[in-house]
Amino acid sequence: MKTNPAKIIATAVLSLVGSSYAMAVVSLPHFVTDSMVVQQQSKIRIQGKGSGNVQVQPSWLSGSVQATSGTDGSFMVELPTPSAGGPYTIVFTDADGSLCLGDIWSGEVWLCSGQSNMEMPVGGWGKVMNYEQEIASSTNPDVRLLHIKKQTSPVVQNDTEVNMGGWRTAAPSTVAEFSSIAYFFARQLSKELGVHVGVIDCTWGGTPAEAWTSAAGVKSIPGFEPQISMLEECHGDLQTLRNLYDRQIEEWTAQANSGDSKFDASVYATDAERINLPAYIEDTHGAFDGIFWLQRKINVPAEFAGQAITLNLGMIDDEDITYFNGVEIARGSGYNVPRSYTVPGELVKAGENLISVRVSDFGGEGGLWGKPEQMNVVIGNKSVSLAGDWACVVTANFADLPERPVSVDSSSFPTVLYNAMAAPLKDMPVKGVLWYQGCANVGRAEQYSPLFQQLISDWRSLRNEPELPFYFMQLAGYLTPKLIQPDSEWAALRQAQADALCLPATGMASAIDIGNPEDIHPKNKQEAARRFALLALRNAYGKTDVLAEAPRAVSCSWDGDEVKLVFDDEVLVDGEAPAGFIVKDDAGRWSRPERIVASGRNVTLHCSSPVKELRYNWADYPDGNLRGKGGLPVTPFKQIK
């Protein structure tokens, strides 16, 4: 709880600005402040603390509502909210004074959550498309922003901390570090509906779905038994939880490091496989998490022997220990942190010298990555490129080990973000939820499908709204484009996301066509927000003239080497000929169709042999070019004979 800036005013002049002020005792949740938007025609529950009985007077009601404080001073009041309008005030009066919240509006409120692509701010680290212009023109009194602070908890909390001191009006100073999708969505929705729109930025980059799911929900999903056991054993005590984790990670690390006993960082591995850097190890090894060594020889002219040199290794995902001639010189962490290390002069000898980098990849991509020009060694006044051929030796494949324990203090531990950031907002009614997350669960699509559906159910149960609108973004295209990639883990995760459409009042927007093969954070967040807004306008607000979804295949007929798809609406081709399909024959071989014809609602594939399965846009970064009349991309799908 916190005490909001108090406006103490005499009862007879509650509506007058400039009344007398004094310190109030009443305290309210961090997310109940001046300038907030309340969801119109709903009921907002406010839990606070006061002295004795508390009178609550919303200016939209003719009378006050009385709440009785408990022995600890806590109280709860439920207020019906009016139709869109304002500005309003809410006055809380207890035995010690009055607290007045002002500039309150009734309108539409949306909770926006997920990982980094939802978190990505307009400016800050995000710098979306045209960010300078977007920030400069962002002043908009009809758009209100609430930014939840990053925090974790092993048990459900009643309050959550916020940034910026609470609700704030959209302006250059408030928008720059706020979720770009949430802001752009609110801006469009307010324009379309003609009401105030409040958006809640409740995000944390790099976080998996299980961190946003309840303990009971996670317990119902196979694969999280160790973490749930820890939570149940600690009974909400964080230190006990940490002690359990310390013992587990010590045992696991010993197993992971055992392979290093056979590797000597002072000796060049002449028989090792070769890898061209910068690159991710997944480019050559497929899905991989583990420990591997990278080695490169460099030549130092005699005149520089005994002098310090600088190693610039680019970015290293996730952690590294770097050696020079067998001696450790530095350790680094952070997948997007450039590594620049100084080699002490006493280690530098004339002629051949050896760089050895031990890389630990705990999830997702791993390796020395970035741009070739970021990798070099500076010797005297010369810079020599380190990009190119390196030796690579794998000493631990985590797939061969028990699952690595997740730090209980990390934002990835199951339930911790649900407990600390989502659950406390249960008393603030919202029109719906926007969700953009999934990258952190790539590689676990089979688990993600039921987990994501459980998350949606948890958030609805939390608010006692079984059909709370829940709209999510299907992952954007990312990584190296490949024409045939039936084993794509990104495609599998996109399908797991789409599985949630079986739940009522869900909707899926797609970013498949606005991704970037080299950047997991595509810049065109305006279009992503527009697609969310289309879903909301049509499905949540009943604007049936809005085209919110692309056509979907409703039937598939098989005739030898010809396959005919029928869609539920006209399909347009963005280019000269349809693309993005792969087909599998009876022998299990995948290929591209020889010819594809699109006409109206029909798409016909002509193949070189009989087909038993087809997939569309099934790759990390696919090249499908089918769209609907509204310009939205046809989403990935598969058909099996």
Side-chain angles (χ1 to χ4, degrees):
M1 298 290 183
K2 75 177 180 66
T3 301
N4 292 301
K7 302 175 184 177
I8 305 303
I9 43 187
T11 303
V13 288
L14 288 179
S15 62
L16 298 179
V17 177
S19 305
S20 343
Y21 292 85
M23 184 61 67
V25 171
V26 173
S27 63
L28 301 173
H30 288 77
F31 49 85
V32 178
T33 71
D34 294 320
S35 303
M36 70 177 176
V37 178
V38 295
Q39 178 60 40
Q40 63 169 319
Q41 297 179 309
S42 64
K43 292 182 179 180
I44 181 171
R45 292 181 300 275
I46 300 175
Q47 298 187 56
K49 286 194 174 182
S51 176
N53 293 336
V54 179
Q55 296 280 350
V56 183
Q57 174 65 71
S59 61
W60 64 80
L61 295 180
S62 58
S64 63
V65 179
Q66 181 170 306
T68 302
S69 298
T71 56
D72 62 348
S74 62
F75 70 88
M76 193 279 286
V77 64
E78 185 173 88
L79 304 176
T81 61
S83 299
Y88 297 108
T89 61
I90 307 178
V91 179
F92 298 83
T93 303
D94 69 358
D96 297 303
S98 296
L99 167 65
C100 180
L101 304 183
D103 189 33
I104 296 172
W105 291 79
S106 188
E108 297 298 311
V109 182
W110 285 80
L111 176 56
C112 307
S113 189
Q115 58 181 112
S116 55
N117 271 298
M118 182 63 86
E119 176 187 334
M120 190 173 177
V122 180
W125 66 264
K127 294 181 174 58
V128 303
M129 186 175 67
N130 301 325
Y131 74 96
E132 292 176 320
Q133 178 183 346
E134 294 285 14
I135 292 173
S137 61
S138 63
T139 299
N140 188 339
D142 295 341
V143 172
R144 305 297 173 92
L145 317 173
L146 178 65
H147 196 182
I148 305 302
K149 185 177 180 180
K150 293 182 173 68
Q151 57 215 285
T152 66
S153 172
V155 294
V156 172
Q157 299 296 305
N158 290 322
D159 192 13
T160 185
E161 296 184 36
V162 299
N163 297 319
M164 300 191 295
W167 286 89
R168 292 293 177 263
T169 300
S173 61
T174 58
V175 159
E177 297 291 341
F178 195 82
S179 163
S180 52
I181 288 181
Y183 162 65
F184 293 139
F185 172 84
R187 181 178 66 182
Q188 181 171 348
L189 212 60
S190 177
K191 180 180 178 181
E192 296 283 348
L193 301 178
V195 301
H196 278 66
V197 174
V199 279
I200 304 172
D201 178 345
C202 182
T203 59
W204 196 326
T207 54
E210 58 266 25
W212 296 97
T213 307
S214 75
V218 172
K219 188 175 182 178
S220 69
I221 307 298
F224 298 110
E225 292 83 3
Q227 293 91 346
I228 292 299
S229 177
M230 293 170 67
L231 286 170
E232 291 176 344
E233 187 174 343
C234 79
H235 299 291
D237 182 71
L238 183 57
Q239 189 54 54
T240 300
L241 194 60
R242 286 170 175 160
N243 293 340
L244 291 170
Y245 167 75
D246 289 343
R247 290 199 298 270
Q248 292 179 3
I249 195 64
E250 184 178 352
E251 295 172 358
W252 186 90
T253 301
Q255 293 184 62
N257 292 343
S258 61
D260 284 342
S261 62
K262 303 175 183 178
F263 189 88
D264 188 344
S266 65
V267 178
Y268 184 69
T270 55
D271 59 345
E273 64 176 299
R274 320 303 302 180
I275 187 170
N276 192 57
L277 298 180
Y280 291 119
I281 193 170
E282 284 77 9
D283 294 338
T284 54
H285 288 69
F288 176 86
D289 293 322
I291 298 172
F292 54 99
W293 289 80
L294 300 170
Q295 290 187 308
R296 172 81 176 244
K297 295 178 182 178
I298 62 170
N299 187 67
V300 175
E303 63 266 30
F304 295 108
Q307 297 185 29
I309 62 175
T310 300
L311 297 181
N312 295 309
L313 301 175
M315 267 78 74
I316 300 181
D317 187 351
D318 294 287
E319 298 178 356
D320 70 284
I321 306 176
T322 298
Y323 298 76
F324 194 84
N325 289 329
V327 178
E328 180 183 330
I329 61 166
R331 297 185 178 217
S333 62
Y335 76 95
N336 60 352
V337 178
R339 309 298 206 276
S340 182
Y341 299 142
T342 299
V343 181
E346 60 265 25
L347 299 180
V348 181
K349 61 184 181 181
E352 188 175 271
N353 290 257
L354 179 62
I355 302 169
S356 299
V357 183
R358 181 185 188 270
V359 180
S360 297
D361 174 20
F362 297 116
E365 292 73 39
L368 273 65
W369 68 282
K371 298 180 179 179
E373 56 266 29
Q374 294 176 307
M375 295 183 62
N376 57 71
V377 56
V378 180
I379 305 173
N381 59 357
K382 293 185 177 180
S383 175
V384 180
S385 176
L386 291 176
D389 186 64
W390 286 62
C392 177
V393 177
V394 173
T395 58
N397 187 334
F398 294 165
D400 300 330
L401 299 176
E403 182 180 356
R404 182 176 185 264
V406 179
S407 170
V408 299
D409 288 308
S410 82
S411 57
S412 295
F413 196 82
T415 79
V416 295
L417 304 185
Y418 172 89
N419 296 334
M421 298 174 67
L425 298 173
K426 66 182 183 302
D427 292 332
M428 173 162 282
V430 298
K431 182 67 173 182
V433 176
L434 304 184
W435 178 263
Y436 194 162
Q437 186 275 337
C439 300
N441 290 87
V442 168
R444 295 188 283 140
E446 185 176 352
Q447 182 188 61
Y448 190 85
S449 180
L451 174 62
F452 182 38
Q453 293 175 50
Q454 183 61 55
L455 181 152
I456 296 172
S457 296
D458 280 353
W459 285 37
R460 288 172 166 175
S461 296
L462 183 69
R463 297 172 172 275
N464 195 28
E465 292 187 65
E467 295 196 8
L468 176 73
F470 197 108
Y471 306 142
F472 53 92
M473 184 68 66
Q474 193 176 46
L475 296 182
Y478 177 54
L479 297 177
T480 304
K482 297 179 181 178
L483 293 179
I484 301 176
Q485 195 182 8
D487 59 348
S488 166
E489 292 188 337
W490 283 75
L493 198 286
R494 293 186 192 109
Q495 179 59 55
Q497 291 178 304
D499 291 345
L501 292 173
C502 68
L503 299 177
T506 54
M508 184 177 75
S510 177
I512 193 76
D513 60 326
I514 52 175
N516 185 330
E518 298 179 349
D519 190 350
I520 201 170
H521 303 118
K523 300 293 188 181
N524 189 358
K525 291 297 186 279
Q526 292 91 334
E527 177 61 15
R530 187 185 77 88
R531 294 177 183 183
F532 268 136
L534 293 177
L535 280 174
L537 289 168
R538 181 177 179 86
N539 299 333
Y541 296 106
K543 294 188 176 296
T544 56
D545 59 329
V546 172
L547 294 175
E549 296 179 342
R552 296 182 181 180
V554 292
S555 70
C556 181
S557 58
W558 313 77
D559 185 11
D561 57 4
E562 182 178 290
V563 183
K564 183 177 181 180
L565 291 164
V566 179
F567 289 77
D568 59 4
D569 201 353
E570 181 181 3
V571 174
L572 305 178
V573 179
D574 189 5
E576 294 183 0
F581 286 95
I582 60 174
V583 294
K584 184 169 71 172
D585 62 20
D586 290 335
R589 295 172 299 213
W590 288 94
S591 63
R592 305 274 282 195
E594 291 188 340
R595 185 167 61 95
I596 308 172
V597 178
S599 177
R601 295 171 54 206
N602 301 316
V603 175
T604 304
L605 282 61
H606 300 273
C607 308
S608 59
S609 60
V611 175
K612 64 181 299 183
E613 182 177 349
L614 71 84
R615 297 183 185 182
Y616 173 73
N617 255 8
W618 201 275
D620 296 345
Y621 189 87
D623 66 338
N625 61 353
L626 301 182
R627 297 184 181 275
K629 289 180 290 188
L632 297 176
V634 171
T635 56
F637 66 89
K638 58 182 178 180
Q639 295 281 346
I640 301 174
K641 185 176 180 180

